[in-house]
């Protein structure tokens, strides 16, 4: 609909001389003079002529000012208007709008722009009655208005806004399409209005306030409310998740509305903000959103939406809008308000709309926006004809008043300033009186509240109950049905449908900078604790802990998103600058919930490979994708009742588990969340998770001391056919491919490193010397396929070395997973039974309690310090893949960072407990035992170390 082609703007005009372009323009002028009437015969000729004129004007803007001089001299814009005024058909009109849009879009010089905007021809095109039922014409027209609004500034605004006639066609014609069925048209209208509001021209802004603000904002608020009611109907009729697409569109539209309103408010045009805030509070947010929070008599005529939709939309409001007068008043009603502010008024009061504009009711405007704008435009013309140089505005209004108009007392109450601001209007219809009265009210309230630090749009927004509640000496607890609804919802933890929305609302309010913190403190809801404060909301903390306890129950119906949000709110309540102020009784209750999560996970604990993969995947997902409440409140799926089937496509954290696998995943995630929160509350560091730390792993390009390490030479053939010579080494958790360091004997550079637990090894049928090895990168999500980071064929010098390598890799994988499973058992306080054998070697009594979890400092190629670049394949304990007895200085390992303490008995220069069977350099201080020697296979083969390869002149073995 909005597609535009720029192909016709060729470079031919740019390459021509100024004289040639001027001659072409003169010829085009001649063509227009000869074809003033559009016919079927000259239709195409006129379209091509207009295109050529636009092309020449764009070139002239950048190269030759005489082109615009001739265009202005001949008043060629008149021909465009003449063509439009003839009913020449959609083809000509569409092409004309398209070329005009391209012309204004490409004009850069202000002088050229002034030429085009002079003589009011552009405004004549704006107000032309096009056939807007044609989507193509509608698209070209709204793009044309949008392009003009981009060119709007403090200088060009005078070409569009006529202060003497009170006419602003660009704005009034654009806002008529605010509720157009086409989404892109509505977006363009919002962009146009925002571009206009940003122009700092006081007469224009006063015109918008006095003539258009009330009709536009009242119709806009009604339009938003209708969408909200439609959204609520979609939620109530879609329990089986069949209309997710329609619901998603409605939620997106509501977010678009909120972002548009927020964009208007942050422009900070105060008198526009006052009118908009008044309409949002009293015509939408309070009577429709807040009023729907509590159960009402269904016999009332007030429109209502379901409580869960109301909570959801209010959360979106507080997450999106931070304008203090709006959100502070809204929060005050939710936290302190009662139903008296929604007491029904007589129908005549609603229709009459006196200056007491605090009547909170969601009602349809009596007139359409187009009709209201036309009435205001006619009033402006009548005023201009009657008194062109009016000064005594108040007197004029008194003369023109109809006998049935508002009370004279209201006029007498108005100050001279307020009378002057609205004296340009004349009341001749009921809808006009509505607009006038509301403008009076806003201006009067604005003048009264000018000195107040926190502006309230209406004094009526603060009820007597609210004032008594805010008083320090108030004894009786006031009725707060909306706040009671929040607390009562948190009591029911068996079903977290409403609980999630309440937690989102509390989170959004606590993060909103526009809400006065004193309001939260007065009702004992300090979601933002004050420094040096030792008090917090006990009731809320207890209910949050109850949610956590229910989540750790085997039959709990608390979703992971609800649990994570409860943890976030609890931290906000009791953690102040890293200090925890939670009381012992509450901490004990929380620790009880954490213990329940441990018992829950024990129930699902299995000594199988799948459990380890799930355990690490869930931890990785939780750390990489923490809960984002803003994104959560954009998801329409949480509006529907919680489901337990993955067939809906809903994210796992936003639904209930299905089957044993998902219940296991949920138990793991609950354990992680409550464990992390427990450590934060007790100010203890995490030393056991994750099971695999990035800083503990060997990385590519690390320079390692490989003296006395078992290495097997091999040829690596990648999937693409590339061949490289490498040495294969097996560590506790990793296998590595290294090549000799050209600068040091016995040192190697890591070219690849991968986790043993993610490795698959298979033999090659027709080659006993080859192995197919694949290592997968851990999947980012449980549903994504693992990505292979290594997929190659390893060819060894003979089948014995191939068997040795396969055995080491297979046993290394088994042992790596076994060690991690034992560490999980320790986390769950299960009895740990360490293996008596590590890769076929007996365990000494000194190291039987904990299997080693290696920690070392990485040695990069750029480092030159020998003390730092120490042996990394050496370890004080036997490790899967090869046995070492290399000694490590105690100071080189960091106990604080190591998941398990280093084994005792290691000292510099000491030999290991195992005998050396493989041959190594005589200069090395410790001997190495190869698993290949104990494999029981015939024929002992030497497995050369990297130092041996270097000592033999660098030849690969």
């Amino acid at each position: 609909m909005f597609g535009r082609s720029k192909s016709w703007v060729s470079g031919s005009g740019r390459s021509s001389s100024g004289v040639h372009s001027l001659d072409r323009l003169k010829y085009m002028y001649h063509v227009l003079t000869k074809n003033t009437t559009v016919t079927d015969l000259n239709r195409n000729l006129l379209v091509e002529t207009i295109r050529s004129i636009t092309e020449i004007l764009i070139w002239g803007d950048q190269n030759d000012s005489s082109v615009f001089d001739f265009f202005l001299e001949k008043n060629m814009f008149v021909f465009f208007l003449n063509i439009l005024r003839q009913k020449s058909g959609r083809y000509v009109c569409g092409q004309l709008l398209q070329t005009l849009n391209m012309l204004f879009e490409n004009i850069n010089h202000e002088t050229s722009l002034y030429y085009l905007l002079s003589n009011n021809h552009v405004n004549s095109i704006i107000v032309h009655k096009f056939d807007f039922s044609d989507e193509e014409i509608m698209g070209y027209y709204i793009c044309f208005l949008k392009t003009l609004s981009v060119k709007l500034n403090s200088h060009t605004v005078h070409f569009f806004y006529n202060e003497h006639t009170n006419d602003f066609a660009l704005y009034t014609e654009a806002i008529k399409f605010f509720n157009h069925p086409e989404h892109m048209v509505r977006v363009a209208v919002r962009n146009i209005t925002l571009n206009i509001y940003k122009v700092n021209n006081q007469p224009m802004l006063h015109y918008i306030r006095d003539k258009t603000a009330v009709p536009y904002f009242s119709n806009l608020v009604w339009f938003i409310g209708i969408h909200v009611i439609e959204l609520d109907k979609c939620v109530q009729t879609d329990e089986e998740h069949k209309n997710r697409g329609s619901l998603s569109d409605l939620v997106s539209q509501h977010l678009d509305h909120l972002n548009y309103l927020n964009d208007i408010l942050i422009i900070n045009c105060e008198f526009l903000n006052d009118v908009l805030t008044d309409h949002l509070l009293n015509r939408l947010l309070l009577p429709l959103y807040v009023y729907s929070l509590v159960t009402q008599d269904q016999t009332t005529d007030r429109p209502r939406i379901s409580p869960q939709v109301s909570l959801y939309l209010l959360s979106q409001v507080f997450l999106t809008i931070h304008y203090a007068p709006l959100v502070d008043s809204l929060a005050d009603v939710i936290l302190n308000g009662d139903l008296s502010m929604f007491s029904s008024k007589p129908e005549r009061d609603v229709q009459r709309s006196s200056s007491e504009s605090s009547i909170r009711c969601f009602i349809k405007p009596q007139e359409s926006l187009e009709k209201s704008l036309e009435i205001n435009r006619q009033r402006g013309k009548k005023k201009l004809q009657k008194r062109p140089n009016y000064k005594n505005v108040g007197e004029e209004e008194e003369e023109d008043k109809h006998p049935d108009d508002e009370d004279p007392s209201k006029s007498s109450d108005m100050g001279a300033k307020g009378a002057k601001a609205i004296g340009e209007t004349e009341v001749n219809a009921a809808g006009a009186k509505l607009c006038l009265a509301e403008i009076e009210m806003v201006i009067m309230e604005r003048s009264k509240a000018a000195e107040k630090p926190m502006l309230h749009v209406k004094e009526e927004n603060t009820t007597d109950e609210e004032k008594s509640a805010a008083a320090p000496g108030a004894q009786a607890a006031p009725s707060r049905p909306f706040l009671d609804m929040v607390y009562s919802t948190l009591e029911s933890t068996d079903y977290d449908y409403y609980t999630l929305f309440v937690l989102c609302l509390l989170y959004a309010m606590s993060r909103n900078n526009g809400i006065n913190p004193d309001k939260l403190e007065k009702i004992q809801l300090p979601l933002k604790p004050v420094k040096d404060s030792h008090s917090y909301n006990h009731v809320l903390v207890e209910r949050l802990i109850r949610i956590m306890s229910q989540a750790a129950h085997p039959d709990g119906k608390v979703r992971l998103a609800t649990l994570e949000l409860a943890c976030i709110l609890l931290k906000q309540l009791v953690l102040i600058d890293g200090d925890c102020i939670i009381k012992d009784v509450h901490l004990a209750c929380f620790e009880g919930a954490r213990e329940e999560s441990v018992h829950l996970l024990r129930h699902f604990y299995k000594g199988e490979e799948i459990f380890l993969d799930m355990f690490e995947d869930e931890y990785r997902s939780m750390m990489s994708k923490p809960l984002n409440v803003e994104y959560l409140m954009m998801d329409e799926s949480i509006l529907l009742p919680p489901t337990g089937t993955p067939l809906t496509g809903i994210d796992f954290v936003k639904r209930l588990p299905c089957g044993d696998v998902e219940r296991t995943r949920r138990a793991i995630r609950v354990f992680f969340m409550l464990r992390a929160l427990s450590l934060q509350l007790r100010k203890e560091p995490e030393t056991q998770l994750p099971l695999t730390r990035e800083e503990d792993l060997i990385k590519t390009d690390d320079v390692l001391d490989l003296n006395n390490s078992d290495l097997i030479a091999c040829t690596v053939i990648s999937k693409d056919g590339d061949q490289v010579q490498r040495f294969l080494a097996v560590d506790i958790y990793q296998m590595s491919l290294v090549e000799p360091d050209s600068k040091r004997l016995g040192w190697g550079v890591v070219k690849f490193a991968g986790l043993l637990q993610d490795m698959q090894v298979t033999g090659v049928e027709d080659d006993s010397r080859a192995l197919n090895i694949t290592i997968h990168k851990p999947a980012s999500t449980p549903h994504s396929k693992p990505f292979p980071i290594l997929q190659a064929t390893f060819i060894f010098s003979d089948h014995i070395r191939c068997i040795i390598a396969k055995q080491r890799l297979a046993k290394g994988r088994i042992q790596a997973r076994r060690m991690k499973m034992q560490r999980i058992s320790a986390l769950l306080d299960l009895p740990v039974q360490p293996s008596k054998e590590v890769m076929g070697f007996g365990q000494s009594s000194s190291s039987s309690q904990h299997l080693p979890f290696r920690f070392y400092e990485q040695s990069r190629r750029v480092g030159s310090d020998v003390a730092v670049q120490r042996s990394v394949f050496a370890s004080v304990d036997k490790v899967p893949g090869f046995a070492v007895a290399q000694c490590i200085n105690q100071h080189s390992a960091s106990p604080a960072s190591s998941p398990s303490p280093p084994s005792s008995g290691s000292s510099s220069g000491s030999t290991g407990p195992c005998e050396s069977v493989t041959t190594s350099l005589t200069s090395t201080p410790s001997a190495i035992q190869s698993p290949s020697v104990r494999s029981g296979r015939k024929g002992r083969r030497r497995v050369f170390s990297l130092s041996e390869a270097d000592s033999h002149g660098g030849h690969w073995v």
Side-chain angles (χ1 to χ4, degrees):
M1 182 177 182
F2 286 85
R4 302 193 304 272
S5 174
K6 297 187 180 182
S7 59
W8 56 268
V9 185
S10 62
S12 58
R14 297 180 184 273
S15 61
S16 305
S17 64
V19 176
H20 178 62
S21 296
L22 186 59
D23 291 339
R24 287 181 59 201
L25 186 60
K26 291 179 180 179
Y27 173 74
M28 300 301 168
Y29 171 71
H30 178 72
V31 173
L32 291 178
T33 56
K34 295 297 184 181
N35 297 272
T36 56
T37 303
V38 181
T39 63
D40 293 337
L41 298 177
N42 65 2
R43 189 186 309 272
N44 293 331
L45 175 64
L46 286 174
V47 169
E48 292 301 324
T49 301
I50 294 172
R51 288 182 176 181
S52 299
I53 291 174
T54 303
E55 178 185 350
I56 296 170
L57 291 176
I58 293 174
W59 180 88
D61 173 61
Q62 302 176 6
N63 299 276
D64 188 3
S65 60
S66 62
V67 172
F68 266 94
D69 293 337
F70 180 81
F71 182 84
L72 186 63
E73 177 186 349
K74 298 301 182 179
N75 201 11
M76 295 178 67
F77 230 125
V78 175
F79 292 97
F80 295 174
L81 286 174
N82 182 44
I83 294 173
L84 274 181
R85 286 166 181 165
Q86 301 178 47
K87 295 185 178 180
S88 52
R90 62 185 295 271
Y91 174 68
V92 176
C93 289
Q95 293 299 328
L96 182 59
L97 285 173
Q98 184 184 24
T99 52
L100 286 175
N101 183 52
M102 296 300 300
L103 175 61
F104 282 96
E105 197 172 21
N106 290 278
I107 291 298
N108 296 322
H109 288 82
E110 287 189 355
T111 305
S112 302
L113 184 62
Y114 295 161
Y115 282 168
L116 293 175
L117 295 177
S118 59
N119 296 327
N120 208 38
H121 295 319
V122 173
N123 287 324
S124 300
I125 296 176
I126 292 174
V127 299
H128 180 75
K129 300 298 181 183
F130 292 95
D131 181 14
F132 294 124
S133 62
D134 189 318
E135 290 187 0
E136 187 175 357
I137 296 295
M138 181 72 248
Y140 289 142
Y141 178 77
I142 204 68
C143 281
F144 177 56
L145 298 188
K146 183 179 176 181
T147 301
L148 293 176
S149 70
V150 173
K151 300 293 182 179
L152 208 60
N153 54 46
S154 57
H155 303 292
T156 58
V157 67
H158 302 290
F159 292 103
F160 298 97
Y161 169 60
N162 191 329
E163 187 174 352
H164 301 291
T165 62
N166 267 334
D167 191 19
F168 194 6
L170 175 62
Y171 178 70
T172 56
E173 294 299 319
I175 61 177
K176 291 177 182 178
F177 302 101
F178 79 99
N179 59 349
H180 193 274
E182 179 62 41
H183 174 70
M184 296 303 296
V185 174
R186 298 198 301 270
V187 171
V189 170
R190 294 167 189 167
N191 290 331
I192 292 170
T193 56
L194 292 174
N195 291 335
I196 291 174
Y197 296 153
K198 292 176 183 177
V199 178
N200 187 18
N201 183 275
Q202 293 302 313
M204 178 203 70
L205 293 176
H206 281 289
Y207 165 80
I208 292 175
R209 178 198 66 185
D210 298 339
K211 304 292 184 181
T212 67
V214 171
Y216 177 51
F217 290 146
S218 61
N219 280 273
L220 178 63
V221 164
W222 173 257
F223 179 68
I224 296 173
I226 293 300
H227 270 281
V228 168
I229 294 176
E230 185 179 354
L231 187 152
D232 179 66
K233 291 180 180 178
C234 188
V235 171
Q236 295 182 10
T237 58
D238 192 27
E239 294 183 357
E240 298 183 357
H241 298 246
K242 293 182 178 180
N243 298 323
R244 288 269 305 279
S246 301
L247 183 59
S248 176
D249 292 340
L250 292 170
V251 170
S252 299
Q253 289 179 22
H254 186 262
L255 286 171
D256 289 342
H257 293 318
L258 293 181
N259 283 296
Y260 172 56
L261 297 172
N262 186 59
D263 290 339
I264 297 176
L265 294 170
I266 62 178
I267 293 175
N268 204 23
C269 182
E270 293 185 359
F271 44 79
L272 276 182
N273 286 3
D274 291 342
V275 180
L276 178 58
T277 302
D278 170 53
H279 279 81
L280 283 175
L281 282 175
N282 296 319
R283 299 289 186 265
L284 180 66
L285 299 179
L286 296 181
L288 187 60
Y289 290 27
V290 177
Y291 181 76
S292 301
L293 289 177
V294 295
T295 304
Q296 295 292 315
D297 185 4
Q298 298 296 332
T299 59
T300 59
D301 295 332
R302 287 182 179 271
R304 295 180 67 251
I305 57 179
S306 54
Q308 68 270 24
V309 174
S310 176
L311 290 168
Y312 179 83
L313 299 181
L314 284 171
S315 300
Q316 288 186 341
V317 170
F318 284 111
L319 288 172
T320 306
I321 300 177
H322 292 257
Y323 183 64
L326 174 63
V327 296
D328 189 65
S329 299
L330 180 61
D332 186 59
V333 173
I334 295 174
L335 300 176
N336 298 311
D338 60 13
L339 295 176
S340 63
M341 63 181 64
F342 299 105
S343 58
S344 58
K345 301 288 184 181
E347 185 66 21
R348 58 181 178 84
D349 290 340
V350 177
Q351 299 294 336
R352 185 164 166 261
S353 182
S354 65
S355 61
E356 187 185 21
S357 184
S358 62
I359 300 174
R360 297 178 174 91
C361 188
F362 178 66
I363 56 174
K364 183 179 181 180
Q366 295 181 353
E367 297 168 343
S368 66
L369 176 60
E370 190 169 357
K371 184 177 180 181
S372 299
L373 295 175
E374 182 63 24
I375 291 175
N376 286 336
R377 190 175 67 84
Q378 294 297 333
R379 283 205 307 270
K381 288 184 177 180
K382 191 179 297 183
K383 294 286 182 178
L384 181 63
Q385 295 172 359
K386 187 171 184 179
R387 187 176 297 182
N389 297 320
Y390 58 88
K391 292 182 180 179
N392 193 353
V393 184
E395 181 181 322
E396 178 193 8
E397 181 185 357
E398 207 166 289
E399 293 174 2
D400 293 334
K401 263 199 171 184
H402 196 276
D404 295 335
D405 279 349
E406 298 177 8
D407 249 303
S409 60
K410 294 175 186 174
S411 299
S412 62
D413 289 340
M414 290 180 55
K417 186 175 181 180
K420 182 177 180 181
I422 64 169
E424 299 174 13
T425 59
E426 177 187 15
V427 180
N428 57 5
K433 292 188 288 182
L434 171 63
C435 302
L436 180 62
E438 294 194 14
I439 295 174
E440 289 180 14
M441 182 278 305
V442 172
I443 296 174
M444 292 173 64
E445 292 298 327
R446 181 65 186 163
S447 62
K448 291 178 182 178
E451 294 84 10
K452 294 181 180 180
M454 183 61 67
L455 176 65
H456 290 277
V457 181
K458 310 284 177 304
E459 289 183 359
E460 290 81 5
N461 283 350
T462 305
T463 62
D464 293 336
E465 289 81 3
E466 296 172 32
K467 294 177 181 177
S468 62
Q475 298 293 332
S479 173
R480 297 171 179 171
F482 310 117
L483 186 61
D484 292 342
M485 183 266 184
V486 171
Y487 280 107
S488 61
T489 303
L490 294 179
E491 283 183 357
S492 176
T493 57
D494 296 337
Y495 190 56
D496 74 335
Y497 185 30
Y498 296 94
T499 304
L500 177 59
F501 299 124
V502 170
L503 295 178
C504 288
L505 179 61
L506 293 176
Y507 174 89
M509 293 174 65
S510 68
R511 297 300 179 95
N512 196 301
N513 298 326
I515 300 178
N516 188 355
D518 295 338
K519 282 188 171 59
L520 301 176
E521 294 176 5
K522 286 181 180 178
I523 62 167
Q524 294 297 312
L525 191 67
L527 291 176
K528 294 180 180 178
V530 182
K531 193 173 182 180
D532 299 331
S533 173
H534 296 283
S535 63
Y536 54 88
N537 192 307
H538 293 185
V539 176
L540 183 56
V541 166
E542 290 169 2
R543 295 183 182 179
L544 291 176
I545 295 175
R546 192 178 304 166
I547 293 173
M548 300 172 190
S549 178
Q550 184 66 24
H553 195 271
D555 298 327
K557 302 295 184 182
V558 178
R559 290 168 288 179
L560 293 176
T562 306
L563 174 62
E564 189 167 356
L565 194 51
C567 293
I568 293 174
L569 289 176
L570 183 62
K571 286 189 289 186
Q572 287 185 195
L573 285 167
V574 301
L575 290 179
I576 306 176
D577 297 332
D579 295 329
C580 182
I581 61 174
I582 190 170
K583 295 184 180 299
D584 292 340
V585 60
H586 291 149
L587 182 59
C589 293
F590 169 75
E591 287 298 326
R594 186 191 63 81
E595 287 294 331
E596 290 178 5
S597 71
V598 174
H599 289 291
L600 176 65
L601 188 54
R602 286 178 186 172
H603 176 72
F604 292 100
Y605 176 82
K606 299 175 183 178
E608 301 174 1
E609 292 188 357
I610 185 63
F611 184 85
L612 174 61
D613 293 331
M614 292 168 60
F615 192 88
E616 293 196 301
D617 286 342
E618 289 303 315
Y619 187 84
R620 191 182 304 112
S621 299
M622 187 185 73
M623 299 305 295
S624 62
K625 296 180 180 179
L627 181 67
N628 187 311
V629 182
E630 287 78 6
Y631 288 159
L632 177 67
M633 299 313 294
M634 296 179 186
D635 191 351
E636 76 287 347
S637 64
I638 64 174
L639 276 170
L640 303 175
T643 178
T645 171
L647 298 177
T648 56
I650 300 175
D651 189 22
F652 177 63
V653 300
K654 303 172 189 175
R655 60 176 174 84
L656 300 174
C658 175
D660 288 339
V661 174
E662 288 195 346
R663 279 191 282 270
T664 304
R665 290 179 54 200
R666 179 185 180 277
I668 293 172
R669 189 72 71 94
V670 171
F671 168 76
F672 284 148
M673 290 184 192
L674 297 187
R675 172 183 169 83
L677 181 56
S678 174
L679 291 175
Q680 285 183 292
L681 296 181
R682 291 184 282 116
K683 296 191 293 185
E684 296 180 5
E686 175 62 81
T687 58
Q688 295 176 287
L689 292 176
L691 299 179
T692 303
R693 301 187 183 188
E694 289 296 329
E695 61 269 21
D696 298 339
L697 298 178
I698 301 171
K699 299 179 178 60
T700 304
D701 295 330
D702 280 354
V703 181
L704 310 177
D705 182 2
L706 300 175
N707 286 294
N708 306 314
S709 300
D710 285 345
L711 304 172
I712 304 177
C714 61
T715 300
V716 182
I717 303 176
S718 66
K719 193 176 181 180
D720 299 332
D722 298 333
Q723 297 186 17
V724 290
Q725 299 291 331
R726 294 286 185 264
F727 280 108
L728 173 65
V730 181
D731 190 18
I732 298 180
Y733 292 120
Q734 292 175 280
M735 63 85 68
S736 304
L737 295 176
V738 298
E739 68 177 8
D741 189 358
S742 59
K743 299 180 180 180
R744 286 189 181 185
L745 181 67
W747 290 67
V749 181
V750 178
K751 293 303 180 182
F752 174 82
L755 291 174
L756 289 169
Q757 69 181 66
D758 300 323
M759 181 181 59
Q760 296 177 353
V761 182
T762 57
V764 179
E765 293 183 1
D766 54 350
D767 191 350
S768 62
R769 301 176 303 130
L771 294 175
N772 289 326
I773 298 179
T774 303
I775 297 181
H776 292 92
K777 180 181 180 181
S780 57
T781 62
H783 302 289
S784 60
K785 293 183 178 180
F787 177 78
I789 57 176
L790 175 67
Q791 197 169 5
T793 300
F794 287 56
I795 300 178
F796 302 90
S797 59
D798 52 48
H799 72 283
I800 298 298
R801 285 181 172 83
C802 180
I803 294 174
I804 293 172
K806 184 176 182 180
Q807 183 187 40
R808 291 182 183 177
L809 293 173
K811 289 189 175 181
R813 181 180 185 275
I814 294 173
Q815 188 60 37
R817 302 182 74 91
R818 183 184 303 165
M819 291 172 64
K820 287 190 175 182
M821 289 299 296
Q822 290 176 346
R823 297 185 59 214
I824 295 176
S825 299
L827 283 172
L828 301 180
D829 298 328
L830 293 173
V832 179
Q833 297 178 356
S835 175
K836 300 294 185 182
E837 182 179 331
V838 180
M839 294 302 296
F841 304 104
Q843 279 283 89
S844 62
S845 59
S846 61
S847 60
S848 61
Q849 294 182 354
H850 294 284
L851 292 175
F853 184 77
R854 302 174 4 94
F855 178 81
Y856 47 81
E857 298 176 2
Q858 299 296 337
S859 302
R860 300 297 176 186
R861 180 175 290 276
V862 296
S864 59
D865 189 358
V866 179
V868 175
Q869 294 178 333
R870 60 186 179 81
S871 173
V872 264
F873 275 109
S875 175
V876 296
D877 287 317
K878 305 176 185 64
V879 297
F882 55 91
V884 292
Q886 176 70 17
C887 301
I888 303 175
N889 293 332
Q890 291 293 334
H891 65 81
S892 62
S894 175
S897 303
S898 179
S900 59
S903 301
S904 59
S906 61
S907 60
S908 177
S910 65
T911 59
C914 302
E915 281 190 13
S916 172
V917 181
T918 55
T919 305
S920 61
L921 292 179
T922 57
S923 60
T924 56
S926 57
I928 302 177
Q929 183 184 28
S930 172
S932 61
V933 180
R934 301 188 54 132
S935 61
R937 299 190 179 274
K938 295 181 180 180
R940 302 197 176 192
R941 306 294 298 261
R942 293 185 65 200
V943 183
F944 286 85
S945 66
L946 184 58
S947 58
E948 289 179 299
D950 290 338
S951 65
H952 285 83
H955 297 290
W956 296 87
V957 180

